[in-house]
Amino acid sequence: MSSKIYCIAEMCAKTGFEAELLAKLIALEPLTLREDGCIRYRVTKQLAHSQAPTQSKFNLVFNEEWANLEAFEKHCQQPYIIEFFTKYVEDPATAIVEDCQVRIFTDELA
């Protein structure tokens, strides 16, 4: 077993801000991929498909893989990540995210 960390960060934009949120999320990818311990960091968009008939309001999802918890925690403290969440998620005056949830997983099953 390894000590890898997997993060699923799900978001939905406020009405009318879908394209802007997607662009801002995509802009985070190259910065994050340069961080030590980042294995994968990819923004994805939900598709309508017959094999997945239930659509979630969280239609934009980051799939992240980190070498370990320390690398993930350092990522969370990066100024550009703090700025993104502060400005676009938390501040009512500038938020473009209607709702988000972040879930963290490990492959250590013992």
Side-chain angles (χ1 to χ4, degrees):
M1 254 337 124
S2 71
S3 60
K4 288 182 182 173
I5 296 298
Y6 304 86
C7 175
I8 305 296
E10 301 173 298
M11 298 188 179
C12 65
K14 288 184 175 181
T15 302
F17 291 94
E18 295 84 359
E20 183 179 351
L21 178 57
L22 182 58
K24 298 225 180 276
L25 293 174
I26 289 170
L28 297 176
E29 282 186 359
L31 298 169
T32 302
L33 287 168
R34 288 185 221 134
E35 291 183 40
D36 288 339
C38 181
I39 298 168
R40 178 182 28 226
Y41 195 81
R42 174 66 91 184
V43 65
T44 60
K45 188 168 116 175
Q46 182 173 241
L47 293 176
H49 191 276
S50 62
Q51 294 299 327
T54 304
Q55 295 291 299
S56 169
K57 72 176 183 175
F58 297 107
N59 59 347
L60 297 172
V61 177
F62 267 112
N63 293 286
E64 305 176 31
E65 185 176 349
W66 295 88
N68 52 49
L69 185 57
E70 179 184 29
F72 175 74
E73 289 177 344
K74 284 175 114 176
H75 164 68
C76 293
Q77 296 306 310
Q78 292 296 318
Y80 69 93
I81 293 297
I82 292 170
E83 178 184 2
F84 174 84
F85 277 93
T86 300
K87 186 172 184 180
Y88 300 114
V89 179
E90 299 165 3
D91 185 344
T94 57
I96 61 174
V97 174
E98 178 184 312
D99 197 5
C100 77
Q101 65 179 16
V102 178
R103 296 179 292 145
I104 312 299
F105 301 87
T106 181
D107 56 7
E108 288 188 50
L109 304 177

